[in-house]
Amino acid sequence: MHSTKMNKENTVYAEGENFPVRITRARARALGSLGGIPPSSRPPFKQALKCAHPTKSKRAASDENKASVVTMDGLQKKRRAVLRDATNICENSCDKSIDASRFQAKGGKNTESASVVSTEVSSTQEDVKTKLAEELSKIRVVESRNITDALKLEDKMPPQRCMPNDAGGCLSADPMLSTQDSVMSDEILTAPDKEIEKLRASDGLGIVDIDSELKDSQVWSLYAPDIYNNIRVTEFERRPSTDYMEKLQQDINPNMRGILIDWLVEVSDEYKLVPDTLYLTVNLIDRFLSISLTTKQKLQLVGVACMLIASKYEEICAPRVEEFCFMTDNTYTRDEVLKMESEVLNLLHFQLSVPTTKTFLRRYIQVAQCSYEVPCVELEFLANYLTELTLVEYSFLKFLPSLVAASAIFLARWTLNQSEHPWNPTLEHYTSYKAPQLKASVLALEDLQLNTNACPLNAIREKYRLHKFKRVAALSAKPVRPLFET
């Protein structure tokens, strides 16, 4: 393609000849030094128009071996001109000025009409400039109003009623206000409604914006509210049945489930799996048992297969299938584990993106830390300890994961500091739970913390009695019930 273009550029028409003659660059340079190629040997004007683009300017290259290139100055000027003449009025005025220049270019003919047209164009442009100046002044006056003025104007304005009009907007009920003023005021007052409400709420209730000071791009603080609003909907869709033991299962009971999960806690701790793997494993087990009748001989196989799936989903380097077989003392073969893995995935339709209690707990811990000048490590460990206790208890399936996470924060704050109420407007705002709504789950969680039922499953309790977790399992507090009676 490039060679064809160069051949066309190096082809000229010799004098008195009808066929093209190819010349070399040296000959072209020599002809240029003698005054250039004779006019008769240049291509016709129409052919030159086809080769040249009307909107692009050219410049000669400094290097003689390089072809001429199109400069960017012409393109920038063209773009600026298009942006400058964006309105229809300006386009019409430009068309009139072009017609006038055409009249003047015809050897002085129709000069009188051209002068009349030019006079009309100038007057039209002045009118347009005047109108634009007035509109810009109005816009600037409107834009100069701050949020405080907008709030004052909103309080003083009469109530508006929606009336059908061409623009599809709302007209003011006050007949003294014009349509334009009402539309402009609507744009000002309705656009930042959400921001104004947030400012009012934060000013009146003392709500702290936990996402404003985060600089880490991996936290996604800008999208955090939308993300957690979305997963609050998802937790309803992908939660297990709360009574599958009574309605479906016949050979297993809640105690067997608790023993299985207590053993999986030890396995996850031994292989140093992330907490999300454990929470997802329990979720997969409960969802599978909610729809599939299982015998007690295969219950451990279900748990191992679910942990294998969760490890593949959450871990960077998941344990191999042979390691999961070794966990069961080779009770199950590799083929049996893989077959159960396939069965679980197909029954659950490969829906593994599930919001667990840990998902909400991360957010709520961040909210709770706002009330401390220095982040409280004990609060984080204690909240994690309380939520892990709920994994073993079948009765906690009746509570939503977000409710369990909020209750863990409530009880953890009360355990660490009993001089003030553990719930504040910031926690209520971000969790969407008021203190009375947490009563049942907090009281049930308090029973787990105190181990009132003398549960013999101690894997989680022994784990959080270690020094690296600040021994939060040994902490206790005053009864929390009086907080809900006041």
Side-chain angles (χ1 to χ4, degrees), residues 228-236 360 364 402 431-433:
Y228 280 90
N229 289 335
N230 180 55
I231 62 178
R232 284 294 297 270
V233 178
T234 310
E235 71 173 339
F236 285 94
F360 295 99
Y364 298 166
S402 59
T431 62
S432 300
Y433 289 114

Side-chain angles (χ1 to χ4, degrees), residues 263-264 267-268 271 273 276-278 280-282 284-285 300-328 332-345 352:
W263 173 73
L264 291 175
V267 171
S268 64
Y271 282 86
L273 303 180
D276 300 82
T277 302
L278 178 62
L280 181 57
T281 300
V282 176
L284 296 177
I285 292 173
Q300 188 180 16
L301 178 60
V302 172
V304 169
C306 290
M307 179 161 277
L308 174 62
I309 297 170
S311 300
K312 291 180 179 180
Y313 188 83
E314 297 288 356
E315 300 291 334
I316 297 176
C317 184
R320 296 179 293 111
V321 182
E322 291 77 11
E323 294 181 85
F324 284 100
C325 295
F326 176 76
M327 296 175 192
T328 63
Y332 307 103
T333 63
R334 183 178 186 273
D335 293 337
E336 288 177 329
V337 174
L338 293 178
K339 183 179 178 181
M340 180 58 69
E341 177 191 20
S342 177
E343 184 178 352
V344 171
L345 288 173
L352 304 180

Side-chain angles (χ1 to χ4, degrees), residues 70-138:
V70 180
T71 61
M72 295 301 294
D73 295 337
L75 291 176
Q76 292 176 355
K77 292 179 181 178
K78 182 65 178 177
R79 290 173 183 170
R80 291 173 183 170
V82 171
L83 290 174
R84 188 163 52 244
D85 301 333
T87 60
N88 295 328
I89 300 176
C90 293
E91 288 180 358
N92 296 332
S93 62
C94 292
D95 294 337
K96 292 181 180 180
S97 62
I98 293 173
D99 294 337
S101 62
R102 289 177 179 175
F103 285 131
Q104 292 177 359
K106 293 182 179 181
K109 294 181 180 181
N110 297 328
T111 54
E112 295 180 358
S113 60
S115 61
V116 173
V117 172
S118 61
T119 304
E120 292 178 356
V121 170
S122 61
S123 60
T124 304
Q125 290 178 350
E126 291 178 358
D127 295 338
V128 170
K129 291 179 180 179
T130 304
K131 291 180 180 179
L132 289 177
E134 293 176 357
E135 294 296 331
L136 288 174
S137 63
K138 291 180 180 180

